[in-house]
Amino acid sequence: METFFIKALQLILSLSILVVIHEFGHFIFARIFKIRVEKFYLFFDPWFALFRYKPKNSETEYGVGWLPLGGYVKIAGMIDESMDKEQLAQPVKPWEFRSKPSWKRLLVMIGGVLFNIILAFFIYSMIVFRWGDSYIPMSHVKQGMEFSETAERVGFRDGDILLLADGKEIIDRGGIVDNFAAQVIDARSVTVLRDGEQIDIVIPSDFVQQLMRDKKGFAGYKDDLPTVVDMVQRGSEAEKIGLVKGDSLVSVNSVPTPTFQDFRGELQKNRGSEIQIDFYRDGMLQTASAKLDSTAVLGFTIATYLVTDHYSFFGSFPAGVKYGLRTLKGYVAQFKHIFTKEGASSLGGFGTIGNLFPAKWSWYSFWMMTAFLSVILAFMNILPIPGLDGGHVLFLLVEAISGRKPSDKFLEYAQLAGMFLLIGLVLYANGMDIVRAIFK
């Protein structure tokens, strides 16, 4: 239950930030062009609101609704989800949306998407400034990978080292859309290193569908890294016994530990005891005694294939923009799979999104997910579907090109159709979450 509340809190906080920033984008452009904004709400408020406030001499009412499916700004003279037909039946006022030229209305409509993209770029910039940009060049993974049966049918073999996808180096950044698997499954061919020889594997066009159908994944790292010390924590038992960067730990109490998993297992067996550790330093075998507490943690990290690039404050901004653009490109590339049978069955709603957050609070993970969701929100909103910002943009572009504005009646029907479609998709996605929870 605690895990559920931690994930739910992260999801609600993240979506609240994204919604407020998105709606502020619409709001600020409307105010720049002297368009009246009647409401600015986080969440929807059918029938009643949890909170509402209208400052003195202000045209705008601010509030928090009870239905956490997004938020909105009610812009005077605009056909939106409020479906305020009475206002539209009145003569056009100079402070209304409909009285402004098409280019101003266009900027008002893309303001939300623009602000979500800017927010994603900013968050990614601060992430790489604070924590750096970490990734694994797959060519460095000398032990190769372990592949699923689905991947083996295509031609991969355990121990293959992933090198290139369509001629580009494969780099695992660990994200949802920029991990090594995402780069491989959409490629036409993948180059691997097998027994010292480079081999090209042709990827079938339905490989993604095969993976989703089989539900066995693509590949994983072999858990056989040696125990080579990378960093020793200050004040730890590892520091007390004199371990330093580069030491290769090979046994505990004379029990061989060829991998870190083996080493960690032996430590757990000897919790609360004194142990003898054998390790190599500069080619010489040495021994040290260590006292384990109940956690059986010595206090060091091992050398992995992870590479971390660090940036100055100002250098982090172009790096953050590149990170955001890479994420957007990866998401757009994977979006097409939604329109397949397997992709549609894998759709999820708030439950699926919430499970992307970690079970324990981590600011790094929270901001990474918030930036990722900001990219998704921007992309989804710009799709040319009535009811979304992209639908309004589409009609405005038609007006700008043809010189003819669609009738209010047409826009009303289009808005209704779009809203029914979006509500249907929300119900379907969240329904799939419920089905998977019951029959998992």
Side-chain angles (χ1 to χ4, degrees), residues 15-16 18-27 37-52 60-76 78 80-84 109 381 387 389 392 415 419:
L15 292 181
S16 297
L18 299 181
V19 168
V20 168
I21 293 297
H22 180 90
E23 299 304 333
F24 181 75
H26 295 307
F27 175 86
V37 179
E38 298 175 350
K39 286 187 175 183
F40 188 131
Y41 265 69
L42 170 64
F43 306 148
F44 293 106
D45 62 327
W47 304 298
F48 69 94
L50 299 178
F51 168 80
R52 65 180 71 215
T60 307
E61 176 183 292
Y62 302 90
V64 178
W66 61 271
L67 187 61
L69 295 179
Y72 71 98
V73 287
K74 187 177 184 302
I75 299 175
M78 175 183 169
D80 56 13
E81 56 269 14
S82 69
M83 299 303 293
D84 189 351
M109 293 318 306
N381 261 283
D389 295 343
H392 293 285
Q415 182 74 17
M419 288 174 62

Side-chain angles (χ1 to χ4, degrees), residues 30 171 214 224 380 383 396 401 410 430:
I171 296 175
D214 295 346
D224 59 359
M380 296 299 293
L383 293 176
L396 284 168
I401 295 171
F410 171 81
N430 286 281

Side-chain angles (χ1 to χ4, degrees), residues 379-395 421:
F379 174 73
M380 296 299 293
N381 261 283
I382 205 62
L383 293 176
I385 300 174
L388 296 175
D389 295 343
H392 293 285
V393 170
L394 175 63
F395 296 138
L421 173 63

Side-chain angles (χ1 to χ4, degrees), residues 225-229 243 246-260 262-264 266 276-281 283-288 298 300:
L225 286 172
T227 310
V228 179
V229 176
L243 293 182
D247 287 349
S248 179
L249 284 58
V250 295
S251 71
V252 174
N253 290 341
S254 299
V255 177
T257 55
T259 72
F260 180 61
D262 296 327
F263 182 82
R264 188 169 48 192
E266 288 302 314
Q276 298 293 317
I277 299 173
D278 294 329
F279 61 95
Y280 282 93
R281 178 182 295 169
M284 300 293 292
L285 183 63
Q286 301 188 33
T287 300
L298 287 177
F300 67 89

Side-chain angles (χ1 to χ4, degrees), residues 129-160:
F129 173 64
R130 171 62 177 82
W131 290 284
D133 184 10
S134 298
Y135 56 93
I136 298 176
M138 298 305 292
S139 59
H140 292 190
V141 185
K142 300 304 181 183
Q143 83 274 24
M145 308 293 289
E146 291 182 341
F147 295 91
S148 67
E149 295 177 10
T150 308
E152 289 180 343
R153 287 202 306 266
V154 172
F156 293 98
R157 296 291 179 267
D158 285 349
D160 284 353

Side-chain angles (χ1 to χ4, degrees), residues 198-266:
Q198 289 192 13
I199 297 174
D200 292 329
I201 299 174
V202 177
I203 306 299
S205 58
D206 66 339
F207 188 41
V208 177
Q209 286 73 44
Q210 292 182 40
L211 291 170
M212 288 191 288
R213 184 171 59 247
D214 295 346
K215 293 181 170 53
K216 295 183 178 179
F218 168 60
Y221 291 97
K222 286 187 173 182
D223 194 8
D224 59 359
L225 286 172
T227 310
V228 179
V229 176
D230 181 51
M231 184 182 69
V232 177
Q233 298 174 4
R234 291 183 178 179
S236 66
E237 184 68 13
E239 184 183 51
K240 292 176 183 177
I241 66 175
L243 293 182
V244 298
K245 181 181 177 70
D247 287 349
S248 179
L249 284 58
V250 295
S251 71
V252 174
N253 290 341
S254 299
V255 177
T257 55
T259 72
F260 180 61
Q261 185 176 16
D262 296 327
F263 182 82
R264 188 169 48 192
E266 288 302 314

